[in-house]
Structures are given as structure tokens and as C-alpha cells.
Amino acid sequence: MYVIGTAGHVDHGKSTLVKALTGIDPDRLREEKERGMTIDLGFAWLRLPDGREVSLVDVPGHERFIKNMLAGVGGIDLALLVVAADEGVMPQTREHVAILELLGIHRAVVALSKIDLVEPDWLDLVRSDVQEYLARTALAGAPIVPVSALTGAGLDQLIQTLVATLAETPPRPDLGRPRLPIDRVFTVAGFGTVVTGTLTGGRLHVGQELEVQPGGLRTRSRGIQTHRQKVEVALPGTRVAVNLAGLATEHLWRGHVVTVPGWLQPTTVVDAHVRVLAEAGPLVHNSVLSFHSGTAETMARVIVLEGERIEPGASGWIQLRLAAPLALARGDLFVLRTPNATVGGGEVVDAHARRHRRSEPGLLARLEILRRGAPTDRLRHLLEQGPQEPGLLGLQTGLEAETVQRALASLQAQGEIVTLGDLLTARRWWEQCRERVLGTLRAYHQRHPLRAGMPREELKSRLGFPPRLFGAVVQRLVAEGTLAETGPHLRLAEHTVRFGPDLAERVERLLGELGREPYAPPSLPDLMATLGLDEEVIAALVEQGRLVRLNESVALRSEVYREMVERVVALLREKGQVTVAEVRDLFGTSRKYVLALLEYMDQQHLTRRVGDVRVLRERVGV
Ligand code: GDP
Ligand code: MG
């Protein structure tokens, strides 16, 4: 399946030719019919003599509507460049050809149109002119077919040439990751929301779970059409209309991408390799241009990563900071424009880049490796950026699945790969991560020597890791014995709470005071005030299992608490139930302490209150 896209200057006969070839008028808007000019994309299809169907995307030639042309040209396999014989190469002929070059569409058939308007001599002249012009472009050597849509002359020859050229065109690869960049959204009575686009990267089938990015809205394909025919499966390289379940048209627009869930993430910062057109001005650092990729468009600030500018005709590295998030992936091609002219374009090399300082050492070398490096280098560099989903490695490095496996095995053999749960990362990233975690905890212990450790959540937010990654990092450090978990706290395995000599002495006095009348100890806040001990010390003693704090004001020495619990439990075993008064008599203490003890035991799920008495919970252990 193939998609052919028209290209060429306004009024050179693109739409007329599409109609002559297919019988379908691509100018579908009323305004287009009234003005006799294409404004937005038009769509048609054609059955070739060999029985194959091809789609045609007709684009506007007028310079004011270049952005619509850019939205249509994305998924095409072959350009049908239309040059009017009476006018020859014109500004948008050049601009469209430049855009085709930048977007990697190097296959074209040239229709030298309106030949009914010129003399044969003139035709020969224009033909060699066009040939000469194309020779300096990526479309060099494209076949040129003189045609007239008016008289029908040359149309058969044109179709034969299209068939021959398509026969040499490799079909769109099926990578199992369908992407449908939306170019139209509308409602069909009785069906609901329908979107159209040129499908790449994989198949779509009816009933499939889908996601729309940016935004991550989930949906399902309720029905698919290609060339107005219902199909169960749409293949990459076709024009597709999909009926999406449960989504309103106002949530969808040109530039959104329909895909399978879970891989394509919106981004606002990308690193890219760009080529500046020879006929354009230089690409200047910090300039703001429009960015076009797929059917999407947004403004972008250009950070030139080497020097202050990239000269006309030259290539270089840039970072693009997008004004709105777009669903982009590595390898996506794009075009940059001022309001009046195309400046250049290139390839997204890192779709989710960090913001770089321009002087960042090693940055350009790293990007170069990402773009062109040996598979193992590309993979190692990606993994050094952080943990990655194994299933996305191919996509992010631009390598075939088999090559990824081989490179991964070789890195693994060199001990370069670290597994974190179901994620993979490079040894270097892991070592840095490890240092960071341990350093954070070390600093925390230093600041809070009396605390058992750092609350798990605090460490997680300090590191800024997503939950799954954080869990895997902790698990790995615990497994290697450097990290320990105590309840909700994480600490360095070597960390223990130690009191200095003066503090240790005051703690001993506290425990002494508490032990003097063990079942009726003095008020804890009073003791703390007298001895100059703060909450942190008490918490540490509780952590260490030397103190049990029944409530705000009552604390017991641990051995006293254990003894009391044992005796209460024994009494309960004997009698089945006990009252506050019975427990009070057991210890010869006052009601205040007994209430504190029993409530604490309730909280510990040792006992349960039933009316005025306590009973044992089923499972009892002290
Ligand atoms: P587009 O802007 O490239 O799509 O050009 P259109 O298809 O809208 O054609 C522009 C004008 O040229 C229209 O008035 C057409 O009728 C006319 N036209 C297109 N093809 C031919 C042709 O082969 N011969 C002649 N004489 N006029 C043509
Ligand atoms: Mg037109």
C-alpha cells in the first residue's frame, strides 16, 4: 500500500490532475470551490492497472497554506511534483521540493502539466530546465512526464510511470507500532467521532485499544475505512479513517496521534540534527520558529548547541524547546519555518532530552553517537541516560530488534548492564544513582543522628524517581546490603542511633525515674522538661525498644510494659474478660495508668473493648 502526495506551485494544476487521474475532486471545501484554489488537504485514491490501490493526498501550493502542505506530506511514499509547462519552476516548486528533501521523501514523478498551453519547443526547454534544477536536489533523476489534464494527453504515460516507480518503492515497514497522525476530525451521524490520517509504523484493527497523544486519552477503534471501504485491518502506508469510541471531537485535532497505548510520550524538549537550506538565512541561536512534524505544528525556540548560528547549507546540532507538547519519537523528521519561508529541517535524535547548557562537555559527541554510532555505543549511551523499558530500546536507538538483542548481550557480557526490576540501565548510571541515594541518606543521618532513618516517601520525592523505579532501586540496595528498611524508614545499613556521653547520662536518669514506681511512672512531659530531653530522644528510645509510649504523658520501660501485658493476657486467658478495676488491682496502680495500658493494648490489636470489659483478640503474641 502506498500514498502519493502532490507537490508544486499554486495553480500549476495539481488538483485538476488528481481529479483527472482518480475522478475525485480533492478540493472538498466550499471556499476552495469558490476560489478555485486548494486551501487544505484533499484526498483521493486510484486503482492502478496492476490492480493495486494507491491513495493520493493533494496539498495546497499557495505559500499562505504551506502549513497545511506540511501536515499532508508526512506519511507519503512518493511525490507527484507538478510543474506547469507554461511557468516552469516557481518559488513554491522550490519550497515544496526542499520540504520533500528535508522529510526524506526522495522518490518523485514529475508531471509537466498544461502542455496544451505551450509549443513543443518551449516544452523541451522547460523540460530540460526542470531536469537541471532537480539534478541539484534529492529528487535528481526523477522521471518527467508531460501531461495535460485538459486534453488527457500523457495521463496513461503518467500512470505507467507511477506504477513503475512504486514497483521500486519499498513498502512501509510494519514495526508493530501504528501511528496515525490525525489530519481531520469530524462526526458521522450514527457513528460519532471519526479521525483520518496516513497510517505508518504498524496495523490498526477494529476493536483495538488505542491511545491519543498528547493527552493520553484512551479509546477503541469501532470501525475502520480506507478509501471509503470498511476494513477489519488497515495496513501501514494507507489512508485511514477510524471511528473512535467515547471521544468527543473537541478533544481531538490535527497534530494528535492515535497509537497503541504505552509507548509514545509527549515531549517539549528534543535534541535534533538539522540542515539549513542553502537558500535560507542562517539558523540563529534563540530564534523562535514554527516546528512541523507529522501533522503537528507548534512554535519552537531553537538552541544552537555549537556556536551562535548554523550557516545556510550547513548542518548542526540543536535543541528545540517546544511551546506545546507533541507526540514525537526518535527518528521523526521535521521542518522549521519562519512565517514566510522554510529555514531547514532534520531528525529528532533524542525525543525526551534534558535541557542542556550549551557548554555541556561531551554533549555533541554523545548526540553524534545517538545518531550514527555503533549499536553497542548507542545502546550504552541511551542506558546511561537512565533506566529504560527493554521493549522500547529499539525505538529509542533506532535499531532493529535483533541488533538490540545482540548489542545488549555484548554489553551484558562486559558487565555494563544493570537490571532494576523490569527496567535496564547502564552501570555508570547505576553507580551515580547509588552514590546519590547513599549520599542523601548519609546527609540525613548526619542531620538527624537520633532518627532511625529517612521516611521512604521523603527519599522518593527527594530523588524524584517514579514509584516503580524507586522501588527497584531500594530493593537492589537492600539486596546488596547497603540499605536497610525499618518500617516506613530507610537507612544506611551501618547507621545506628548513638547518644553522646551527656545525653546518655540523662537518658539513664529518665529510665531510672520511670523504673522507680514502674506501674505508676511520673509524667513523661515533666521528666522531659526536668532532664532537658526532647521528642526526638524519646522517639529514638522507642525505636530502640527501650521505651513504650502509651500516650502523650505515660511511658513505660519496655520490660515493664512486657510484664504488664503478659499478666493482663494471663488474667484474660483465665477469666475470658477483665474490667479496668480488676487490672488496677492486679498492679495496685491507679485507673489513669490502667486506661492508658488497655487502650494501648487495644491499638496493638491485643485486646478489644466490649462494653465495660476487655476480651482477647484471637491471635495473641506479645
Ligand atoms: P493547483 O493549485 O496546482 O491545484 O492548480 P489547479 O488544479 O487548481 O489548476 C489551476 C488552474 O489551471 C485551473 O484553472 C485549471 O483549470 C487549470 N488547469 C489545470 N490543468 C490544466 C491543463 O492541463 N491545461 C489547462 N489549459 N489548464 C489547466
Ligand atoms: Mg490545488
Side-chain angles (χ1 to χ4, degrees):
M1 300 297 259
Y2 295 100
V3 181
I4 298 173
T6 61
H9 198 74
V10 65
D11 263 354
H12 277 202
K14 295 181 291 301
S15 302
T16 310
L17 190 57
V18 168
K19 185 159 183 208
L21 290 173
T22 66
I24 300 167
D25 184 357
D27 286 339
R28 61 206 152 76
L29 305 176
R30 195 196 318 151
E31 198 188 346
E32 290 177 324
K33 300 215 192 278
E34 280 169 10
R35 291 168 67 177
M37 182 170 73
T38 309
I39 293 169
D40 205 348
L41 301 172
F43 306 98
W45 65 93
L46 173 65
R47 188 175 291 280
L48 297 172
D50 62 3
R52 249 197 306 213
E53 272 189 7
V54 291
S55 312
L56 269 134
V57 177
D58 183 41
V59 306
H62 197 284
E63 60 172 327
R64 267 187 53 210
F65 305 119
I66 285 274
K67 61 182 226 158
N68 292 339
M69 181 268 181
L70 281 159
V73 78
I76 71 173
D77 303 289
L78 173 73
L80 176 57
L81 177 65
V82 180
V83 183
D86 59 337
E87 281 199 328
V89 173
M90 293 288 281
Q92 268 64 54
T93 316
R94 294 175 189 281
E95 186 165 17
H96 283 198
V97 168
I99 287 169
L100 292 169
E101 286 188 293
L102 293 170
L103 295 180
I105 301 152
H106 296 169
R107 238 172 257 272
V109 170
V110 182
L112 202 52
S113 65
K114 304 196 189 183
I115 56 167
D116 56 287
L117 294 181
V118 298
E119 300 301 319
D121 288 359
W122 178 261
L123 183 62
D124 287 346
L125 210 67
V126 176
R127 188 192 178 115
S128 54
D129 223 37
V130 171
Q131 208 160 18
E132 216 170 283
Y133 158 65
L134 287 178
R136 282 172 274 122
T137 72
L139 305 189
I144 300 175
V145 186
V147 296
S148 167
L150 196 75
T151 66
L155 291 182
D156 285 344
Q157 180 61 35
L158 179 60
I159 287 181
Q160 291 310 326
T161 310
L162 290 173
V163 170
T165 311
L166 287 175
E168 294 166 5
T169 306
R172 288 266 155 188
D174 185 347
L175 308 169
R177 287 189 196 283
R179 273 208 275 178
L180 188 74
I182 296 177
D183 48 41
R184 274 185 305 161
V185 181
F186 49 88
T187 317
V188 176
F191 287 96
T193 300
V194 174
V195 300
T196 66
T198 303
L199 180 62
T200 60
R203 298 154 181 247
L204 285 184
H205 50 85
V206 175
Q208 193 170 19
E209 293 300 321
L210 296 170
E211 184 179 85
V212 182
Q213 288 290 6
L217 291 175
R218 288 300 177 93
T219 179
R220 194 171 43 77
S221 67
R222 273 212 302 227
I224 303 178
Q225 285 195 358
T226 175
H227 305 159
R228 299 260 162 86
Q229 296 290 315
K230 268 174 80 164
V231 292
E232 281 300 306
V233 180
L235 300 176
T238 42
R239 289 290 310 166
V240 175
V242 192
N243 180 203
L244 296 177
L247 292 186
T249 51
E250 56 265 36
H251 295 134
L252 301 164
W253 54 81
R254 181 175 283 182
H256 274 158
V257 178
V258 178
T259 184
V260 287
W263 72 279
L264 188 64
Q265 293 299 321
T267 179
T268 53
V269 184
V270 306
D271 289 339
H273 194 260
V274 73
R275 186 162 68 78
V276 179
L277 296 178
E279 55 274 24
L283 181 58
V284 180
H285 174 61
N286 245 337
S287 51
V288 175
L289 297 171
S290 65
F291 171 94
H292 306 259
S293 186
T295 59
E297 179 205 349
T298 186
M299 298 309 286
R301 181 174 297 280
V302 178
I303 309 299
V304 175
L305 294 176
E306 44 187 334
E308 281 305 308
R309 53 206 260 166
I310 302 175
E311 299 297 338
S315 301
W317 286 102
I318 58 173
Q319 176 159 90
L320 291 161
R321 304 200 177 144
L322 309 178
L326 295 186
L328 295 172
R330 183 197 194 280
D332 283 356
L333 301 175
F334 64 87
V335 165
L336 294 172
R337 285 195 97 239
T338 68
N340 309 314
T342 297
V343 176
E347 179 189 6
V348 172
V349 174
D350 188 346
H352 298 272
R354 282 174 295 114
R355 286 168 168 254
H356 306 302
R357 274 178 301 116
R358 293 207 289 155
S359 55
E360 196 175 303
L363 173 63
L364 298 181
R366 185 175 73 75
L367 289 173
E368 205 55 64
I369 286 170
L370 278 182
R371 189 163 87 107
R372 291 270 172 85
T376 44
D377 291 338
R378 277 202 231 177
L379 199 59
R380 188 191 307 106
H381 272 79
L382 174 68
L383 293 170
E384 280 175 357
Q385 302 311 298
Q388 312 285 338
E389 303 258 1
L392 297 183
L393 292 176
L395 201 88
Q396 280 159 308
T397 52
L399 298 170
E400 303 280 328
E402 262 176 52
T403 317
V404 169
Q405 286 316 315
R406 239 177 297 127
L408 208 53
S410 113
L411 289 174
Q412 217 131 26
Q414 296 163 36
E416 292 278 358
I417 305 287
V418 171
T419 309
L420 287 172
D422 47 11
L423 302 173
L424 296 179
T425 190
R427 188 169 42 84
R428 195 164 113 188
W429 186 90
W430 168 245
E431 278 164 7
Q432 281 167 1
C433 161
R434 190 169 179 278
E435 237 350 275
R436 216 178 132 211
V437 174
L438 301 185
T440 307
L441 284 173
R442 209 171 294 128
Y444 188 90
H445 292 325
Q446 221 147 47
R447 254 197 327 279
H448 308 287
L450 297 181
R451 290 193 196 159
M454 188 168 184
R456 211 184 149 88
E457 284 307 310
E458 193 178 331
L459 181 62
K460 188 172 116 202
S461 73
R462 188 81 66 82
L463 295 170
F465 288 170
R468 193 156 62 117
L469 175 60
F470 178 72
V473 166
V474 167
Q475 203 174 22
R476 193 172 171 108
L477 288 170
V478 169
E480 73 177 37
T482 18
L483 209 73
E485 279 191 277
T486 14
H489 295 112
L490 291 170
R491 61 177 169 87
L492 294 178
E494 71 214 26
H495 171 76
T496 49
V497 175
R498 266 189 225 93
F499 300 130
D502 162 65
L503 190 56
E505 193 208 309
R506 281 181 285 148
V507 164
E508 284 314 316
R509 280 174 60 199
L510 173 84
L511 294 171
E513 291 294 328
L514 289 176
R516 216 193 301 241
E517 254 193 276
Y519 308 133
S523 141
L524 182 65
D526 289 354
L527 281 177
M528 285 164 69
T530 323
L531 296 170
L533 294 171
D534 59 16
E535 286 291 342
E536 199 139 281
V537 179
I538 304 301
L541 289 169
V542 171
E543 284 288 346
Q544 292 172 356
R546 298 167 77 184
L547 212 61
V548 174
R549 188 160 188 181
L550 300 182
N551 60 30
E552 268 305 291
S553 58
V554 183
L556 301 174
R557 292 178 56 136
S558 295
E559 68 276 13
V560 175
Y561 169 74
R562 278 195 296 273
E563 181 213 325
M564 291 177 91
V565 169
E566 263 167 42
R567 287 173 64 187
V568 171
V569 169
L571 191 62
L572 274 165
R573 291 236 163 87
E574 185 191 319
K575 306 182 60 166
Q577 59 180 57
V578 295
T579 63
V580 172
E582 285 167 330
V583 177
R584 185 193 60 204
D585 297 343
L586 186 64
F587 297 108
T589 180
S590 73
R591 201 179 150 76
K592 171 175 120 179
Y593 298 104
V594 172
L595 281 177
L597 176 70
L598 291 175
E599 272 160 22
Y600 188 82
M601 286 176 69
D602 290 346
Q603 278 166 31
Q604 302 299 305
H605 307 290
L606 294 168
T607 50
R608 190 150 48 89
R609 183 175 166 176
V610 182
D612 283 342
V613 301
R614 281 326 194 271
V615 295
L616 270 181
R617 291 244 179 186
E618 277 75 53
R619 291 185 313 116
V620 173
V622 179

